[in-house]
Every structure is written in structure tokens, then in C-alpha cells.
Amino acid sequence: MSKVVCEISMSLDGFITGPNVRVGNGMGDGGDRLHDWMFGAKTTTDAKFVDDKFASTGAVVMGKRMFDVGFEPWGDPPPFRMPVFVVTHEERDPLPMQGGTTYTFVTDGIEAALELARAAADDKNVGVWGGANIIRQYLEAGLLDEMQIQLIPILLGNGIRLFEGLDPEGIELRRTSSIETPAATHFRFEVVKTS
Amino acid sequence: MSKVVCEISMSLDGFITGPNVRVGNGMGDGGDRLHDWMFGAKTTTDAKFVDDKFASTGAVVMGKRMFDVGFEPWGDPPPFRMPVFVVTHEERDPLPMQGGTTYTFVTDGIEAALELARAAADDKNVGVWGGANIIRQYLEAGLLDEMQIQLIPILLGNGIRLFEGLDPEGIELRRTSSIETPAATHFRFEVVKTS
């Protein structure tokens, strides 16, 4: 069955970016190290995680801030190659890109974005790929089925925290898998709804 | 060779206690779940971590806040059964307890406490067992050789963060081991000093 799965890389001290995130510095100062496992330090195991993620996902939901800082570096064709729904307050026409990605801007909230993404994903998963704020919103709303977190053994000291201000009431995690590669621990948690 | 090793249990969202830590609520609201791996959910693998920790450690350093909230629940004899050095601003006579623990209060800083602990530990390790503030101080001062962190797959939402306000400049971690048990991921990191 189709699941709603968040996927994000987090430092040991809880950050998903370094400080000073802005257009042109999308991962913040030093934050690119969070993605070493996908680039310079990539092993065949890491590569399989990326491949599986893309193969199992039929549509992506993301926040506006992530879209704003990611748009330029992702380029055209963007790496998604599937429909992407951007949760935003700004009305905007859909933006078709090369290679199968269309950015669709959803102004009526996370549930509406999820509904559109589910329809677009067919029987594949919906990926909630960031940033932190949108992941927290889906988690708190009980809409996430699974969290895939790459824990990266670095300390960033500052930046955007994945779980900043989270209200964990009623959210339990069940660790279903944990695989080590040199640059990451690939955790998979089932989100168990207790309330 | 004798090492300086911190050891602490941290939630996935970075907390080593729940909120509202005080005397009588030493782990904060819900924070006892961080130690399930040592109690209700303990496996033989978890037990071996505890046994190895006590066997390899010859003296413990802790912060005053941890001492204050821990003193009563630890009881007499306390579980340490070795010398414990409490970093504090308050002059106070050593407090010998039953079973080999003596609490010694050190008022001239973390380096002085470490020197005393090293002497007391002979060729065994010095354990920096908390709280967060004292661990951060030793880490930032380049005095920690190893961090043993049990990552606990729970979300606390609030409490005391292990890495709050850390300046990670010059601190690199090398993950040397990672072992899963149902209630914890037992990480061991070597602290690599780069500056």
C-alpha cells in the first residue's frame, strides 16, 4: 500500500542544514556535509538507498523554503523526475520542467497537498522530502507513515533543527531498520499513532 | 591507555532529559524512557554495555546539577562504586558513601576535576557521565577522547539538549561502532581533534 514517507539527513546534533540558509547557500554553512553519503562518500549501499527512494516514490511534497533555495541548484531537468507539490501561501501556476518534474503550488494546506500527491503517485509512496517545518507539520498531523532519517556523524552546532518545537504527543516511533555506511546511519522508523 | 569517555542516552530529537528536571524528577517528564534499555527493555547486549562501562571506568566526573538531582535516587550505596568528582562552585567536604563511592567537590574547573579523576582512575578510563553542560565543556575544550551515545528512538519534544549551544569548531567525530538493541542504538565515536 502507498505510504507517506519523509526522508532527510540529520547531523548528530539534530540539524538538517548548517547556519545561514539562503538562496545560493541552500544547505547552510557546512551543511553540504550532510549529503556526503550521496556524493563524495557514496558507497553501493548508499547508492541503493537513493535508487530505492526514487523507485518507490511517485510524488514529492516539499515546503516553500526548500523549493526557493533548491530551485536553482536542482536545475532543469530537476532530479525528481516526478510531480512535486510545493506547500506555499503564494498562488502560482504549475511550472513544468524537463524530465518529468512539474512543480505544482498548493495554497490550501498540507492535507490538500497530500491529497494531490497521493493521486499523482498512484500506488507508489508520497515522499515528504523537507524542509524541517513541513516534515514536522505532517508528523504532528499524524499523516506520516514512515520516517527515513540518515543520521550523519557530524556536529554542525547551528542551522535548522529537524525537530525544533515538535509536539510529540501521541507520536511513537518504531525503528524498523538501521544500516551503517561510512558516512551515515540509515534509520527507518514506522510512525505508530497512539492517539 | 586511559581515555576520557562521555556516556549518555539521547532521544532522536536530541534530548537527554524530558522537560521540568528538578530534584525528585531527575530525568524530567517522560525522560525515564531514555533509560529503558538499562531497565525494562534491557537485553544481554545492553547489559554488556553497562558492565563494560563500569569495568573500564576508574573514576567519574559529573556536573553539579546532575549530582543534585541524582543524589537521592542513587541512594547509598550509589551505583558508581568508584570515586566521583563533582564540578561545582560550592566548596564542600568530600562525601564518602558506602560501596566505594566518594563524592569529591571540585571548585576550580573542569581541568582540575579531570586531573583528580585521572589520578584516581589509575590506568582505567575517566567517565564523563553528564549532564549535558559538562559534556559540552569537555568536548569543546578538546578533553574528550570518546563519546558513547545511546540513541533512543523516541521523541521528547522538550528538555535538556545534549548539544545545545555547542561550538563544534575543530571537533570531528569518527564513528567507531554502532550496535542495535531493541531500545537503543549504541554509538561509539572517537573525538578527532582537528585544531
Side-chain angles (χ1 to χ4, degrees):
Chain A
M1 194 190 119
S2 168
K3 290 186 292 190
V4 184
V5 180
C6 88
E7 195 281 334
I8 197 111
S9 299
M10 179 178 84
S11 68
L12 181 65
D13 53 349
F15 296 101
I16 62 157
T17 71
N20 303 315
V21 170
R22 59 177 178 271
V23 174
N25 190 29
M27 292 299 294
D29 302 344
D32 284 339
R33 296 176 65 203
L34 291 167
H35 291 163
D36 275 353
W37 68 273
M38 287 192 274
F39 298 102
K42 185 164 74 172
T43 63
T44 51
T45 304
D46 292 315
K48 191 170 179 312
F49 273 96
V50 177
D51 292 347
D52 287 353
K53 180 177 90 164
F54 277 92
S56 62
T57 306
V60 171
V61 176
M62 70 173 64
K64 174 62 159 46
R65 189 175 184 185
M66 177 169 166
F67 173 78
D68 283 343
V69 300
F71 180 73
E72 191 179 294
W74 292 326
D76 194 14
F80 307 102
R81 298 177 183 276
M82 65 183 96
V84 174
F85 297 89
V86 180
V87 180
T88 175
H89 295 291
E90 183 191 335
E91 300 262 1
R92 189 170 163 182
D93 287 337
L95 185 58
M97 308 291 284
Q98 296 178 53
T101 300
T102 294
Y103 297 118
T104 300
F105 302 89
V106 184
T107 55
D108 44 358
I110 61 169
E111 298 199 22
L114 180 56
E115 200 169 314
L116 291 169
R118 275 195 203 275
D122 273 329
D123 57 343
K124 290 190 171 185
N125 292 340
V126 172
V128 179
W129 289 1
N133 191 282
I134 209 87
I135 289 176
R136 279 196 308 272
Q137 287 186 49
Y138 279 105
L139 182 59
E140 290 182 343
L143 296 170
L144 280 190
D145 299 304
E146 190 176 301
M147 303 192 79
Q148 291 185 19
I149 296 178
Q150 283 85 36
L151 190 78
I152 313 300
I154 62 172
L155 298 170
L156 286 170
N158 213 329
I160 297 173
R161 280 203 181 91
L162 178 54
F163 293 112
E164 182 74 61
L166 178 79
D167 174 4
E169 181 69 30
I171 303 166
E172 293 292 328
L173 302 179
R174 197 170 66 84
R175 192 190 61 212
T176 53
S177 131
S178 159
I179 292 171
E180 297 288 328
T181 61
T185 303
H186 297 267
F187 282 114
R188 194 171 289 206
F189 302 98
E190 180 191 339
V191 183
V192 183
K193 287 102 177 180
T194 59
S195 69
Chain B
M1 195 190 113
S2 167
K3 290 186 293 190
V4 184
V5 180
C6 88
E7 195 280 333
I8 197 112
S9 299
M10 180 177 85
S11 68
L12 181 65
D13 53 349
F15 296 100
I16 62 158
T17 71
N20 302 316
V21 171
R22 60 178 178 271
V23 174
N25 191 29
M27 293 299 294
D29 302 345
D32 284 338
R33 297 176 65 202
L34 291 167
H35 291 163
D36 275 352
W37 67 274
M38 288 192 274
F39 298 102
K42 183 163 77 172
T43 63
T44 52
T45 304
D46 292 315
K48 191 170 180 311
F49 273 97
V50 177
D51 293 346
D52 287 354
K53 179 177 90 164
F54 277 91
S56 62
T57 307
V60 172
V61 175
M62 70 174 61
K64 174 61 159 47
R65 188 175 184 185
M66 177 168 166
F67 172 78
D68 284 342
V69 300
F71 180 72
E72 192 179 292
W74 292 326
D76 193 14
F80 307 104
R81 300 175 183 276
M82 66 182 95
V84 174
F85 297 88
V86 181
V87 180
T88 175
H89 295 291
E90 182 192 336
E91 301 261 3
R92 187 169 166 182
D93 288 337
L95 186 58
M97 308 293 283
Q98 297 178 54
T101 300
T102 293
Y103 296 118
T104 299
F105 302 88
V106 184
T107 56
D108 44 356
I110 61 168
E111 298 200 22
L114 181 55
E115 202 170 311
L116 291 168
R118 275 195 203 276
D122 274 329
D123 57 343
K124 290 189 171 184
N125 292 340
V126 172
V128 179
W129 289 1
N133 190 281
I134 209 88
I135 290 175
R136 280 197 307 272
Q137 287 186 49
Y138 279 105
L139 182 60
E140 289 182 345
L143 296 171
L144 280 190
D145 298 306
E146 191 175 301
M147 304 192 79
Q148 291 185 18
I149 297 178
Q150 283 85 38
L151 190 78
I152 313 300
I154 61 172
L155 298 170
L156 287 170
N158 212 330
I160 297 174
R161 280 203 179 92
L162 178 54
F163 293 112
E164 182 72 62
L166 178 79
D167 175 6
E169 180 70 30
I171 304 166
E172 292 293 328
L173 302 179
R174 195 168 67 84
R175 192 190 59 213
T176 54
S177 134
S178 160
I179 292 171
E180 297 290 329
T181 61
T185 303
H186 297 266
F187 281 115
R188 194 171 289 207
F189 301 99
E190 181 190 341
V191 182
V192 183
K193 287 103 177 178
T194 59
S195 68

